[in-house]
Amino acid sequence: MAQSVMKRIFLAGLLGFVAAIGLLSPVDAHAIVVRTEPADGAVLDRAPSEIKLWFTEAILLDFTTIEIVDGEGKHMPALVTRALPDQSSDRTWFGVLIRLPELAPNAYRLSWRAIANDDLHASSGAIVFGVQHAVERSADTLMVPTPSPLEVGLRWLNLGALAGVIGALASLGLIFPTLPLTDAHETFAMLRRRVITIALMATAIAFFAGIGMLLTQAATAGDAWWSIVTQTGYGWRTMARAGVIVVLFGFLVRLAQPSAAVAQSSDSTVNRIAAFACLGILAILESLNSHVTTGNSFVSVLANTAHLLAAGVWGGGLLIFALTLVPLLRGNSAEHALARSVLRRFGALAATSLGVLVVTGIYISGIQVASVDALLVTLYGQTLLIKVGLALTIASIGLGNAMTLHPRVAEILRAVLHRPANKSERESRRLGGMVLLESIGALGIILLAACLGATAPARGPEFDPPGGQAALIPSLSTHVADLFVTFSIKPNRPGQNFIDVGVFDTRRPAPAPIERVTLQLRAPGALNDTITLDATRRDNAHYEFSGDAINISGAWNVDLVIVRRGLPAVTKTIPWTVYESPASNQTRPVWISNQPLAPILTWLASAILFLLSGVFVVWGLRRPTLLPRSVLGFTFKFAEREKDQR
């Protein structure tokens, strides 16, 4: 009977995992404008009929507001008409097309406010452009509001509650089954009941905190909040998450049995497996609603999921034990021994979790933080630095606790640090206070993680390094019949451009004078539509064109037509790539370095993962007692050799 139930639970968990992965979609967590046409600060010869904005992620068109104001302060109507997918970059950007009224020569400011489809964060910005009128670039091309205390508080409750549930289930499934119970059956049963009770309370808090976050984000849409809840990816994932939490709550209720004997039964094992499956699905859904899953990356989802689970095992375990084991450490000898035995086994699990946190944290930082400058000057980067510093402090406290609980660890560290060996009775008495201090630090780390979740990541076009496109204006030299031709476009970006053509006779004397030079431009994807430009002669050999006919980036076809008196016209087709507008039309000045951190941090995370995996395998083979005797109720054969050290 139990095996049949376990099969059904496994299939349900597998289907839930597949469904959660099926919800995978690009999430950037603040829709940042990476390009505009025309560019910010552009001066146009003629009034545009439309403006294009490209965002780093999909936005809710129905809740996007656009406003255009001229130089005299007159407001004009503007309409977002449709989405405009961009194919000119290896990244998928979300473009929108804005229809404009007829504009007279003047300066104009176009501002927008957009809501991201995937996490409902709002962002706003503005550009300025001129129609036959000089303008300066806008100082607020991108404006991302600082996180609200309410959102941070709800995220803190949510992450803390999830960590508590994960820590509780890790204790029930990975630590408690390995305990050698002698005369502490009643104490163990009481401890187990307390852990399950805390897990139930944390599950309820996570449910209401998640719903609260959804409603808080949806409130930005005013009366249309219900559409935000029911018609967005964030809303659907949050409701799916709430359903999984309800199922998890039911399994935890079934685990709340009164005796230790029942706790070791097959039905309890099935419930633990089902609860762990629910936790896995919850972690995936939480990752899909986070900053990290950019570009639909399966690896980034898995990395963030592993980070959440490891953080829950470590931080949640600390919170659980601060509430349940600290009182036992001050109790009688049996209670004290049981508490120490639990903490000893938690040490190995915490060390493994810290290894996962280091690897995934470094990898995720490469995704979230564009450069050293971005790390130092943004709120996200500064919060991340504080979080890392606090994590190192708490890890050092944990190392001190490990020295108290594991004599072998203390012996190795004292040898490395050249400290004399001494009796650890005082350290043992302080163990409860140190565990409590460690758990308070874990709450602080969770608070900082909540701040990071509500803050725009330290990346975006303002931190992009200058590439070859910005540093090099391309030119071309070629032969057309008996003519030598040079060709260049500056600045070679959408908007106002200056085209220079040099035409030189290679024969002396020249067979005929040049009467006219013409360009025929075909935009990317245009087969028959051409734009014809007649050149202005600058001197005997140079011709120039100016204007904003080149209005989009990508692969253009340029037909250069040269007409000479009494001779057939000669034509040269020139494939030409127009560069994208500078991202966000605005780049921060370099302070220390704006080189991307992602390649370095990805390599570093891979190297540490390889090293830690090797250490774990070698040490586990040499000392099998370091491996758990049982997982979720299934006992390994080598566990018979383990001796409990108190």
Side-chain angles (χ1 to χ4, degrees):
M1 177 65 182
Q3 290 183 349
S4 176
V5 173
M6 287 176 63
K7 289 180 180 179
R8 290 198 294 269
I9 295 298
F10 174 77
L11 290 176
L14 180 62
L15 289 175
F17 178 86
V18 173
I21 291 295
L23 292 172
L24 185 71
S25 61
V27 178
D28 253 338
H30 286 84
I32 301 173
V33 170
V34 294
R35 203 174 91 211
T36 67
E37 292 181 4
D40 186 25
V43 179
L44 310 178
D45 288 343
R46 60 177 183 270
S49 60
E50 61 190 29
I51 287 181
K52 299 171 185 176
L53 304 178
W54 276 272
F55 293 83
T56 53
E57 64 168 301
I59 62 172
L60 301 174
L61 294 180
D62 293 340
F63 303 99
T64 300
T65 57
I66 301 292
E67 184 180 57
I68 185 167
V69 183
D70 66 12
E72 283 72 44
K74 179 182 178 182
H75 291 253
M76 301 179 182
L79 177 66
V80 177
T81 58
R82 60 186 173 89
L84 186 68
D86 179 54
Q87 303 297 333
S88 63
S89 173
D90 57 347
R91 293 172 290 185
T92 301
W93 291 340
F94 184 85
V96 295
L97 183 67
I98 302 169
R99 296 290 183 187
L100 300 177
E102 186 174 345
L103 302 179
N106 206 331
Y108 295 92
R109 183 179 190 271
L110 182 134
S111 57
W112 65 85
R113 184 180 185 276
I115 298 177
N117 177 71
D118 287 299
D119 67 355
L120 308 185
H121 277 132
S123 61
S124 58
I127 63 170
V128 296
F129 63 93
V131 179
Q132 302 176 19
H133 193 287
V135 295
E136 295 183 0
R137 291 170 60 172
S138 174
D140 54 358
T141 302
L142 172 67
M143 295 177 292
V144 179
T146 56
S148 69
L150 176 59
E151 181 183 356
V152 172
L154 288 172
R155 287 182 179 274
W156 189 26
L157 280 176
N158 176 59
L159 292 176
L162 286 178
V165 177
I166 295 171
L169 284 176
S171 303
L172 293 169
L174 302 176
I175 296 178
F176 288 0
T178 70
L179 293 174
L181 301 179
T182 54
D183 55 349
H185 287 283
E186 293 184 3
T187 303
F188 173 76
M190 176 193 66
L191 174 62
R192 183 177 177 277
R193 286 195 302 271
R194 289 180 179 177
V195 170
I196 294 178
T197 300
I198 294 173
L200 287 169
M201 296 173 60
T203 304
I205 293 173
F207 177 87
F208 289 109
I211 296 298
M213 285 193 301
L214 175 61
L215 295 179
T216 300
Q217 300 286 65
T220 58
D223 294 338
W225 66 272
W226 183 245
S227 298
I228 292 284
V229 172
T230 59
Q231 298 177 17
T232 64
Y234 185 91
W236 281 107
R237 284 190 295 271
T238 301
M239 289 188 288
R241 174 186 177 279
V244 175
I245 289 179
V246 170
V247 175
L248 174 60
F249 189 87
F251 285 119
L252 288 174
V253 169
R254 295 190 62 183
L255 278 174
Q257 300 296 328
S259 69
V262 175
Q264 303 294 337
S265 67
S266 59
D267 286 342
S268 179
T269 299
V270 170
N271 289 328
R272 285 198 294 269
I273 293 174
F276 268 82
C278 290
L279 274 186
I281 297 172
L282 272 179
I284 293 172
L285 292 172
E286 199 72 28
S287 295
L288 292 173
N289 277 347
S290 73
H291 290 335
V292 179
T293 50
T294 60
N296 208 14
S297 170
F298 181 76
V299 175
S300 63
V301 173
L302 289 183
N304 199 52
T305 301
H307 195 79
L308 285 172
L309 291 174
V313 171
W314 179 55
L318 287 173
L319 296 176
I320 291 293
F321 296 146
L323 295 173
T324 59
L325 295 185
V326 170
L328 294 182
L329 288 170
R330 299 166 182 162
N332 57 43
S333 59
E335 293 175 344
H336 183 88
L338 176 62
R340 286 181 63 91
S341 184
V342 172
L343 289 175
R344 282 176 52 82
R345 285 158 175 78
F346 176 69
L349 192 59
T352 303
S353 299
L354 282 175
V356 174
L357 287 172
V358 169
V359 173
T360 56
I362 291 174
Y363 174 76
I364 292 170
S365 297
I367 298 175
Q368 300 295 78
V369 182
S371 63
V372 174
D373 283 5
L375 180 66
L376 297 176
V377 304
T378 63
L379 177 61
Y380 186 97
Q382 293 161 359
T383 305
L384 180 60
L385 288 175
I386 297 173
K387 180 186 173 186
V388 171
L390 181 58
L392 291 174
T393 302
I394 301 306
S396 66
I397 297 175
L399 189 60
N401 291 337
M403 293 175 64
T404 302
L405 293 166
H406 301 272
R408 178 59 179 164
V409 173
E411 183 180 328
I412 294 174
L413 290 177
R414 287 194 178 102
V416 171
L417 299 175
H418 303 289
R419 290 179 57 185
N422 50 27
K423 193 70 175 170
S424 60
E425 294 241 354
R426 187 175 63 178
E427 294 177 354
S428 180
R429 288 196 301 269
R430 293 189 308 174
L431 181 61
M434 299 305 290
V435 170
L436 188 59
L437 180 61
E438 207 176 346
S439 65
I440 294 173
L443 278 176
I445 292 175
I446 294 172
L447 174 60
L448 292 172
C451 294
L452 292 175
T455 306
R459 52 183 162 81
E462 60 182 317
F463 298 107
D464 285 349
Q469 293 183 353
L472 177 65
I473 300 299
S475 61
L476 177 143
S477 300
T478 186
H479 284 85
V480 183
D482 58 341
L483 301 172
F484 180 74
V485 174
T486 62
F487 181 86
S488 68
I489 300 179
K490 301 178 181 180
N492 195 39
R493 300 188 187 275
Q496 183 77 28
N497 278 280
F498 297 91
I499 305 174
D500 185 85
V501 178
V503 183
F504 306 91
D505 282 299
T506 59
R507 293 192 291 173
R508 293 289 184 272
I514 297 173
E515 291 188 334
R516 187 171 70 254
V517 176
T518 302
L519 289 182
Q520 295 176 351
L521 309 177
R522 290 193 299 277
L527 299 178
N528 300 317
D529 297 335
T530 61
I531 303 170
T532 302
L533 303 176
D534 291 324
T536 300
R537 185 189 294 266
R538 196 171 69 210
D539 55 39
N540 288 336
H542 291 90
Y543 301 80
E544 61 185 14
F545 307 78
S546 63
D548 56 0
I550 299 177
N551 54 10
I552 63 172
S553 60
W556 286 69
N557 282 312
V558 180
D559 291 335
L560 175 63
V561 182
I562 303 172
V563 179
R564 293 182 288 181
R565 185 183 305 165
L567 294 177
V570 293
T571 302
K572 177 67 175 180
T573 299
I574 304 172
W576 192 266
T577 299
V578 176
Y579 298 152
E580 298 169 353
S581 298
S584 274
N585 309 310
Q586 188 169 327
T587 303
R588 287 178 180 261
V590 178
W591 186 23
I592 295 178
S593 173
N594 61 357
Q595 294 304 310
L597 285 177
I600 299 173
L601 295 184
T602 299
W603 179 89
L604 180 60
S606 302
I608 295 176
L609 175 62
F610 180 79
L611 177 63
L612 292 179
S613 300
V615 170
F616 179 80
V617 171
V618 172
W619 204 349
L621 291 175
R622 293 182 59 185
R623 296 174 60 88
T625 56
L626 292 175
L627 302 176
R629 293 192 314 155
S630 63
V631 174
L632 300 178
F634 299 102
T635 303
F636 299 115
K637 291 183 179 180
F638 63 75
E640 298 175 359
R641 301 195 301 268
E642 181 179 5
K643 297 179 180 180
D644 184 55
Q645 301 177 9
R646 299 186 183 181

